[in-house]
Amino acid sequence: MHRNAYLFLLLTTLLWGGNSVAGKLAVDHVSPMTLVFLRWVLAVLIMLPIGWRTIQTDWPAVRRHWLVLAALGASGFTLFNTIFYTALNYTTAINVSIEQAAMPILIMTANFVFFRLRVNWAQIAGVVLTIAGVILTACHGDPRRLLTLELNFGDALMLVAVVIYSGYSVGLRLKPAMQWQSLMLALSVAALVTSLPFFLWELVAGRVIVPDIRGWTVIAYTAVGASIISQIAYIRGNELIGANRAGLFINLVPIFGTLLSVLIVGESFQVYQAMALALVLGGIGLAEYSGRRTATRAEP
């Protein structure tokens, strides 16, 4: 079971890392809110024929739990991405990467507060190692860069985004039992509806950049890879090993994003990137080994 979870979560973080590269490629080719809105338009169009029959079967569950589904779709799919893109207009990628590394800590804290899920010292040590890897990546192997960081409005926005996605991860425990096609379609519709006001604001403000060929390519990737496939995989990974253990994999996102930048954008590969990958994988391995033993002992 846990091997399948690892595959799902590695696929998730690889696709999310690709989303970081896609964000770089989207600059001047499609505006941020237009990108968010159109990715969910396309995602819904893809999911409609896939989930139409199953959602009819699952409609009683959708109707009973529509508020939970709407909150999950709005928070994890729309609000996080909208605030994330906005924050990058005011702060640096270094700050954002470091701030995102707080997600596993918030997820573990929320799970303890609301569901009394405990963690052990090995899991905490694993979290620390993954954060060290993220920081090493963010500062490009030079810790002295941390001394020059300045907090600003963008950092405050990013912290809000981190809290929102951490809440989404924990909130997945509350999702109703239904087929994955129905769940993904319902969440995608919620994301589409809640992304519309942001697109309309960008339109009224005159900030829309109509996508060109590269823009549509980025939209297609974010809709299929970073939205549908990755979210299905992340939800499934959460189901198999829980939000505490699954959340730790999020710290692979900046690592994969950096490595994909080497492959796609042509950036040079550095020794610190290999060290950061080793730290993050080592931290996940330590925390996951301990978490799996704890879960095994807890089984009746």
Side-chain angles (χ1 to χ4, degrees), residues 38-57:
L38 290 179
R39 73 187 279 186
W40 291 113
V41 170
L42 185 55
V44 169
L45 290 176
I46 293 171
M47 286 305 305
L48 267 175
I50 296 174
W52 182 250
R53 288 187 177 181
T54 60
I55 204 166
Q56 293 180 65
T57 303

Side-chain angles (χ1 to χ4, degrees), residues 42-285:
L42 185 55
V44 169
L45 290 176
I46 293 171
M47 286 305 305
L48 267 175
I50 296 174
W52 182 250
R53 288 187 177 181
T54 60
I55 204 166
Q56 293 180 65
T57 303
D58 292 326
W59 186 248
V62 174
R63 188 170 54 191
R64 282 196 306 271
H65 302 282
W66 70 269
L67 190 57
V68 171
L69 293 170
L72 290 173
S75 60
F77 289 10
T78 298
L79 290 178
F80 172 77
N81 285 294
T82 299
I83 298 173
F84 175 78
Y85 288 133
T86 304
L88 282 172
N89 290 323
Y90 298 97
T91 190
T92 65
I94 293 178
N95 288 36
V96 166
S97 295
I98 293 173
E99 287 149 6
Q100 246 181 309
M103 281 189 192
I105 299 174
L106 289 178
I107 290 171
M108 289 180 179
T109 302
N111 270 325
F112 174 75
V113 171
F114 294 108
F115 303 108
R116 289 295 182 264
L117 295 181
R118 298 180 180 276
V119 295
N120 55 45
W121 286 107
Q123 289 174 291
I124 294 174
V127 171
V128 172
L129 281 177
T130 64
I131 292 175
V134 171
I135 292 175
L136 187 62
T137 300
C139 67
H140 292 207
D142 184 4
R144 290 174 298 180
R145 288 194 176 196
L146 299 178
L147 299 177
T148 65
L149 296 183
E150 296 181 0
L151 299 179
N152 53 41
F153 177 64
D155 297 300
L157 284 178
M158 191 59 207
L159 290 176
V160 172
V162 167
V163 171
I164 287 174
Y165 204 83
S166 300
Y168 163 76
S169 298
V170 175
L172 286 174
R173 293 173 60 94
L174 305 177
K175 66 180 177 60
M178 61 175 62
Q179 298 171 81
W180 69 265
Q181 298 96 325
S182 303
L183 177 64
M184 194 62 207
L185 178 55
L187 295 181
S188 297
V189 170
L192 174 59
V193 172
T194 52
S195 65
L196 179 58
F198 296 101
F199 169 67
L200 293 177
W201 170 83
E202 191 173 68
L203 185 64
V204 171
R207 299 184 179 182
V208 168
I209 298 175
V210 178
D212 55 13
I213 294 177
R214 178 186 286 190
W216 280 112
T217 302
V218 170
I219 291 167
Y221 172 79
T222 57
V224 178
S227 297
I228 296 175
I229 298 175
S230 67
Q231 290 294 347
I232 291 170
Y234 184 66
I235 291 170
R236 185 59 180 149
N238 266 264
E239 289 175 347
L240 291 174
I241 61 175
N244 275 2
R245 293 159 66 186
L248 200 58
F249 283 76
I250 292 174
N251 281 344
L252 275 171
V253 173
I255 308 297
F256 280 146
T258 301
L259 295 179
L260 288 171
S261 293
V262 171
L263 295 174
I264 299 173
V265 183
E267 296 180 1
S268 58
F269 184 76
Q270 305 292 335
V271 174
Y272 76 83
Q273 293 168 338
M275 295 173 59
L277 179 61
L279 282 171
V280 174
L281 289 177
I284 290 175

